[in-house]
Amino acid sequence: MTKKILIVLSEYGYWGEELLGPVATFDEQGYQSVFATPTGARARALPPSLDPGYIDPPLGRSVTTPEVAVAAKELDESSRLDNPISLAEWIPDRPYFSEPDYLRKIEAYNRELGNLDDDIKQFDALVIVGGSGPIVDLANNERLHELILAFLRADKPIVGECYGVAPLAFARDWEDRKSIIWGKHVTGHCKEYDYKDGTGFIGVDFNMGPPPYPLEYILRDATGPDGAYHGNVGKEVSVIVDYPFITARSTPDSFPAGEKLVEVLESGLRRFGF
C-alpha cells in the first residue's frame, strides 16, 4: 500500500533543497506527498536557495549545485504546491483563559482536537521543512504543535530539517510542558552555521540580521542531561535518527533525511548517527 507523507511548509519561505531532497526520495519510493501550510497560502522557496551562485556566508561556499537548483525551482513552480492543507482550518485554536465562557470553549476545543488523532491515520509520517521561514510561522505555531503531538501519540515518525527542528523543541503537552525531545538525540542548525546578518523572508521587506534565537542552544537545553544535541561541525552531513524523530542539520542533509525516513518506514530503523 502506498505510503502517504504530510509535509509542512512555511509561508515565509522554505529552502529549496530541503523540500526537494525528501520529495524526490519519496517520489522514487512511490510515496504520496501531501503539503500543508499555516493558513493554506501557497509556499514559495527562498530565492537564494534556488541560486547556485549564492555563497552561503557561514560556509563560504555555494550550498546547492546547478542541477539541484534547477530541480528545486521546477518543484517550487509546479502545481504540486498549489492548494495546500490549511492548518488554521484543520486544527482548532486554543482559547484564551480570559475569554468569556472559557470552560465551554475549552471543552469544545478539546472535542475538536480529539478528531486530529483520527485525521492523521491516513498519514505515515510528518516532515517539517527548514529555511528561515519557519522562524516566523512554524516554530511557535500551536496548531503545528498539536499536529506534532498527534503524530507522537500515534508513534509515527517525525522529520525536522534545519530550522524546521525548532517546532519539535517547542511542541509540548499543555499540562506538564516537558520537551518531547527530552532524553533524545537530535541535530539541527548549529551556531557555526548561523547568519550574522541577512536572515530574510518571503513576502516581507525585512532583514532580521541574525536569527532571533540560536537553535543549537534551544536543542541542547530541550534534550536534557540524558539526551544530546549533535552539531557534527566539520562533517558534511548530519542526520540523526532517534525514533520517532529524524532530524537534519542543514541543506546538505536534505536528501539523506528523506532516505533515512524511508529506512525507518521500510526497514524499521530506530537509531542512526550517534
Side-chain angles (χ1 to χ4, degrees):
M1 191 172 180
T2 300
K3 289 183 169 56
K4 195 173 182 180
I5 314 298
L6 180 61
I7 301 172
V8 178
L9 295 160
S10 168
E11 295 172 15
Y12 286 85
Y14 69 87
W15 200 265
E17 188 171 338
E18 292 178 22
L19 175 62
L20 176 68
V23 168
T25 304
F26 303 156
D27 288 351
E28 290 178 6
Q29 198 67 25
Y31 293 175
Q32 180 183 356
S33 295
V34 177
F35 305 98
T37 61
T39 71
R42 193 193 192 283
R44 291 289 180 185
L46 293 155
S49 73
L50 304 180
D51 179 6
Y54 175 76
I55 302 300
D56 186 75
L59 293 178
R61 63 174 176 81
S62 173
V63 292
T64 190
T65 65
E67 295 78 14
V68 166
V70 168
K73 185 175 182 180
E74 288 176 353
L75 176 58
D76 184 60
E77 294 177 348
S78 75
S79 61
R80 297 182 69 176
L81 302 186
D82 294 346
N83 304 309
I85 294 170
S86 167
L87 297 185
E89 293 179 6
W90 180 14
I91 302 169
D93 190 25
R94 180 180 288 273
Y96 284 116
F97 279 81
S98 61
E99 289 185 28
D101 203 21
Y102 170 75
L103 284 177
R104 299 294 81 79
K105 289 180 178 178
I106 195 66
E107 288 170 354
Y109 168 80
N110 285 321
R111 281 197 304 272
E112 190 175 350
L113 194 61
N115 296 327
L116 193 55
D117 290 332
D118 288 329
D119 292 344
I120 67 162
K121 288 180 180 177
Q122 64 181 301
F123 299 109
D124 294 279
L126 173 66
V127 176
I128 305 167
V129 177
S132 55
I135 293 170
V136 180
D137 62 352
L138 297 186
N140 195 29
N141 186 317
E142 289 189 355
R143 289 186 170 97
L144 176 56
H145 295 173
E146 292 294 359
L147 184 63
I148 292 168
L149 292 172
F151 272 83
L152 188 63
R153 288 192 297 272
D155 194 33
K156 295 186 177 188
I158 303 166
V159 178
E161 300 178 273
C162 188
Y163 268 84
V165 181
L168 304 185
F170 296 133
R172 305 183 180 207
D173 179 82
W174 191 263
E175 298 301 324
D176 67 22
R177 310 194 188 188
K178 182 179 179 181
S179 171
I180 61 172
I181 58 173
W182 188 263
K184 292 291 185 177
H185 291 256
V186 302
T187 190
H189 209 270
C190 53
K191 182 65 176 170
E192 287 83 354
Y193 289 10
D194 280 346
Y195 280 48
K196 294 181 179 180
D197 184 39
T199 303
F201 310 97
I202 292 287
V204 292
D205 184 15
F206 178 50
N207 171 4
M208 182 174 277
Y213 54 84
L215 180 58
E216 175 182 335
Y217 297 169
I218 298 293
L219 296 176
R220 285 186 181 278
D221 292 345
T223 51
D226 297 323
Y229 166 82
H230 303 269
N232 289 320
V233 177
K235 296 182 180 179
E236 292 186 357
V237 176
S238 180
V239 177
I240 301 292
V241 180
D242 195 354
Y243 192 87
F245 304 112
I246 301 155
T247 51
R249 181 183 60 197
S250 192
T251 306
D253 312 297
S254 307
F255 282 89
E259 292 163 3
K260 288 304 170 188
L261 176 57
V262 170
E263 287 187 50
V264 167
L265 292 173
E266 301 295 336
S267 305
L269 178 69
R270 290 298 181 269
R271 290 167 62 96
F272 173 82
F274 65 96

